[in-house]
Amino acid sequence: MSPEPLPPVAPDVLAEAVEQLSARLRKKLDAAIEGCAERAARAADGSLDVRFGEDALVTLRPGPSGAVTEAGQAVCTCLLAPRCLHRAAVLGAAPLADTEGEAETGAETGAKGEGAADTDAVPESPESTTGRPAPPRSDANTVTPGPAPEPSEATPPTPAQVRAATALWEAAAEALAAGVTAGGAVVQAELLRAAHTARLAGLPRAEAAALRVVRGLRAARERGRGQRLGDLAGAFRDLLSGAAPLASGTAGPGLAPARRTYGQGGSLRVHGLCREPVLSATGYGGVATHLVGPDGSRYTISDVRPGGLSRARGAGSASVALGGAVLDHAGLARGGLRIVGATVSPDGRLGAGRGVNATPLRGLDWSEEPAAALFAGPVGEAVAAALDAGAREGDAPEAALLGCDVEVVGAAGEYLVARVAGGGPLLRLRPAHPHPELPHAANLRRIAEHPGLVLRVLGRPDLDRAATLRPLAVGPVPGELYTLRLPEEWLGRADLGYDRLQGSHFPRAAGAGPLAPVDAVPDPLADAPLWRVRRLLETGVAGGRRAVAEAGRGADATALLAPLRRAGLGGAAQLAEALTAEADRRPRDAFGRLTDASADGYARAWLASAVHLAAAERSLVAASWS
């Protein structure tokens, strides 16, 4: 009989269980965690049992949300309980439950690149209250615009927030110095305890950043499928860069956001643009339908529930109710709504609360305003604005949608090459979601068979890659002969995550042929020696402080710094040299004892190099779109 999956555990419950262990038991915790999940069995009363020999039985009784959110829901029969190794091991083997902080910051939302695991977290409605975080819900459909406006001036953090951020910085610095190899359950528990303190202090974004680091450490230690060391390095950068200004008492806008509140937003007209599937590694699936307002504001109506891939595939035609107007997502993506009595949050989210009324509107073609404005501006300026917004907000959500007209060049490996109309740059078009059972990749392969085809593309720029766009929908370009021929009921666009392009949708006439050799697409990120700095930072994440110190000695230091200086990247070379020197600085007294065991200086040197690298890569990405 296959083992039962362990229920999610609230981070503070796990942190408390590890904190109660003695120093001797903490050394044994990582070994005890291995194999716990394989021994889980369902009891007759519905609880989950994990047996350790003859004398110890750990029982988990999740609450109504399906997660273990209180210490009393995890008990052990051994004499040391609840301060026993068995109970802490089972809790450490269970997945972490989603928290309110992650829902508030919209963490892990949308389809963010290859192999990414995503979920659309829906906030609570204004009328609801809860004592514990709940998993994402879709019964209260929300409308989400693009990036929120910045506050006019920063609100200084409170003393409690400064103390919480200081504890978070110290825990993150120790975890970074330890690296994946030594970042076991005890190190993770310190981060979880600091994250819980940040939540109590009203720092949901800092809490969410800490939980992303813990999940990344777990995935790296388990060698999880799709886990990337670069993602974990980015999570450490976001956590440290967010905690540093808070700990110093000089937080900038958005670093310590207040809980989202809703106010009356009057009436609103929105028109559908497209829809995309949403998948989550935690088993959620659904759809996000993108809309636009009369002034060009972007919105999204999401419907995400447990169900994984099957839910994501079926949700594209599932009904969505908002203020009495019942539509399905397929109809809404090509239709519109007039909403009266809309409730709007400061960042533009619309709630489906009481008093909201909505009536359907006819759909608009992409060639009509306000949708036409999405394809009118220079792509380079739009990407530069998105990169600047990401730099200001740190752990900013995914980039806003970008529209442009392109001419297909052909396939090049895993992506499609196209040139922006009017002599624009060459773009790499990659699937918005690479899952083989979703039609993104198949549709792009079919488009690649028609070089010279002119398309109108709406997608999301990949801000981590040079000139890369992840299309969500495509349509014909008005006035062009060699373009798509879509059915009339599709209203001039095909959703690449749901609609499948057929041979009849393409013109019969021969195309204009390739515009340039496909293998000649430039990649400034790959050509620049900045990859050496990236590898150094990721080496530190994987092997900790000692691995960075080894990389800065002898011939390895020359191989790292000399190419950077020859390429004119003196700043990157100087910061990398300072990082390796700080990693190797271990002052000792006459008896060989460390006189400064703090990881603070090392974390600051690592963060300085990581922030500089991110800024340099943003500049190269922006240049690739011009």
Side-chain angles (χ1 to χ4, degrees):
M1 186 174 68
S2 60
E4 293 284 340
L6 293 174
V9 173
D12 57 307
V13 174
L14 174 57
E16 182 183 7
V18 176
E19 186 179 6
Q20 291 177 340
L21 296 178
S22 64
R24 180 179 63 86
L25 292 180
R26 289 189 182 190
K27 295 178 180 179
K28 302 179 179 181
L29 181 56
D30 288 327
I33 288 176
E34 296 181 4
C36 282
E38 286 73 20
R39 298 198 298 270
R42 182 74 60 182
D45 61 355
S47 61
L48 275 174
D49 292 340
V50 180
R51 182 169 293 281
F52 292 82
E54 295 292 334
D55 303 324
L57 178 68
V58 178
T59 301
L60 302 180
R61 293 185 174 87
S65 66
V68 176
T69 57
E70 298 179 2
Q73 294 173 348
V75 297
C76 181
T77 60
C78 76
L79 296 178
L80 291 179
R83 296 177 174 85
C84 65
L85 181 64
H86 314 111
R87 179 174 175 270
V90 174
L91 293 175
L96 291 179
D98 293 332
T99 68
E100 185 177 358
E102 292 176 295
E104 287 297 328
T105 58
E108 301 175 358
T109 303
K112 300 186 287 285
E114 300 176 14
D118 313 299
T119 181
D120 198 347
V122 181
E124 296 174 355
S125 62
E127 296 83 5
S128 64
T129 58
T130 179
R132 282 284 177 183
R137 307 193 310 264
S138 63
D139 50 349
N141 293 292
T142 58
V143 184
T144 312
E150 294 184 16
S152 57
E153 57 184 32
T155 302
T158 65
Q161 290 175 333
V162 172
R163 291 192 296 270
T166 301
L168 199 56
W169 168 272
E170 293 173 353
E174 293 295 336
L176 179 64
V180 171
T181 54
V186 175
V187 172
Q188 295 169 24
E190 291 298 323
L191 272 171
L192 293 178
R193 183 174 62 174
H196 180 62
T197 303
R199 179 166 76 92
L200 296 179
L203 300 174
R205 182 171 294 179
E207 178 204 16
L211 294 182
R212 287 198 294 275
V213 169
V214 173
R215 288 192 174 100
L217 285 172
R218 284 187 165 196
R221 290 177 63 84
E222 296 168 2
R223 293 176 173 84
R225 181 182 178 185
Q227 191 275 335
R228 294 170 50 193
L229 204 57
D231 295 336
L232 181 54
F236 266 112
R237 184 190 67 238
D238 292 340
L239 174 58
L240 292 170
S241 61
L246 285 168
S248 66
T250 59
L255 289 178
R259 180 174 176 81
R260 181 180 294 116
T261 56
Y262 286 74
Q264 292 299 321
S267 61
L268 180 66
R269 294 167 60 97
V270 292
H271 295 276
L273 292 173
C274 65
R275 57 194 163 136
E276 65 170 322
V278 177
L279 277 176
S280 164
T282 56
Y284 287 87
V287 63
T289 300
H290 299 272
L291 308 100
V292 63
D295 59 351
S297 300
R298 321 287 176 81
Y299 302 89
T300 303
I301 294 182
S302 302
D303 180 7
V304 182
R305 303 178 187 176
L309 176 64
S310 60
R311 177 75 178 89
R313 295 171 63 182
S317 56
S319 62
V320 52
L322 182 68
V326 180
L327 293 173
D328 60 26
H329 280 272
L332 182 58
R334 295 181 171 95
L337 286 176
R338 183 198 304 272
I339 307 172
V340 179
T343 54
V344 187
S345 68
D347 61 356
R349 288 186 179 239
L350 233 77
R354 300 174 184 175
V356 178
N357 295 308
T359 55
L361 296 174
R362 77 169 184 89
L364 295 180
D365 190 271
W366 280 356
S367 59
E368 301 179 64
E369 294 294 346
L374 303 179
F375 305 91
V379 293
E381 294 181 6
V383 173
L387 289 167
D388 290 342
R392 289 194 305 268
E393 298 179 20
D395 57 345
E398 58 203 0
L401 297 186
L402 172 68
C404 59
D405 295 346
V406 301
E407 186 169 359
V408 174
V409 176
E414 299 178 351
Y415 54 85
L416 168 66
V417 179
R419 183 180 293 278
V420 176
L426 285 172
L427 303 183
R428 299 167 181 83
L429 305 186
R430 292 181 177 268
H433 203 294
H435 199 288
E437 296 192 36
L438 294 175
H440 290 287
N443 282 328
L444 288 184
R445 285 195 297 269
R446 184 171 283 275
I447 292 173
E449 297 172 357
H450 299 268
L453 183 72
V454 181
L455 295 173
R456 178 156 288 182
V457 180
L458 183 64
R460 189 176 291 110
D462 189 336
L463 303 183
D464 295 326
R465 297 176 183 267
T468 299
L469 183 67
R470 299 189 180 271
L472 301 180
V474 295
V477 177
E480 293 288 343
L481 295 178
Y482 194 64
T483 188
L484 290 175
R485 304 286 190 266
L486 299 180
E488 185 176 348
E489 60 271 18
W490 285 14
L491 203 64
R493 63 262 206 178
D495 297 328
L496 297 181
Y498 289 102
D499 301 323
R500 290 188 178 271
L501 295 174
Q502 307 295 332
S504 60
H505 299 154
F506 294 89
R508 297 183 181 275
L515 301 178
V518 175
D519 57 359
V521 180
D523 189 344
L525 278 182
D527 297 339
L530 287 173
W531 63 268
R532 300 176 184 274
V533 180
R534 190 183 312 113
R535 186 174 63 180
L536 176 66
L537 297 174
E538 293 177 0
T539 297
V541 170
R545 182 172 184 166
R546 290 184 178 181
V548 174
E550 289 292 336
R553 294 172 184 162
D556 291 337
T558 303
L560 168 67
L561 302 176
L564 292 172
R565 293 192 172 108
R566 283 198 302 266
L569 300 171
Q574 183 179 1
L575 290 173
E577 187 176 21
L579 171 58
T580 56
E582 180 62 32
D584 204 24
R585 188 185 69 84
R586 307 286 282 176
R588 299 179 183 272
D589 59 17
F591 299 98
R593 296 171 299 192
L594 285 174
T595 58
D596 182 12
S598 171
D600 183 80
Y602 170 73
R604 293 187 183 280
W606 187 94
L607 179 60
S609 187
V611 170
H612 182 275
L613 174 65
E617 290 181 335
R618 281 197 303 270
S619 298
L620 292 176
V621 171
S624 70
W625 284 84
S626 61

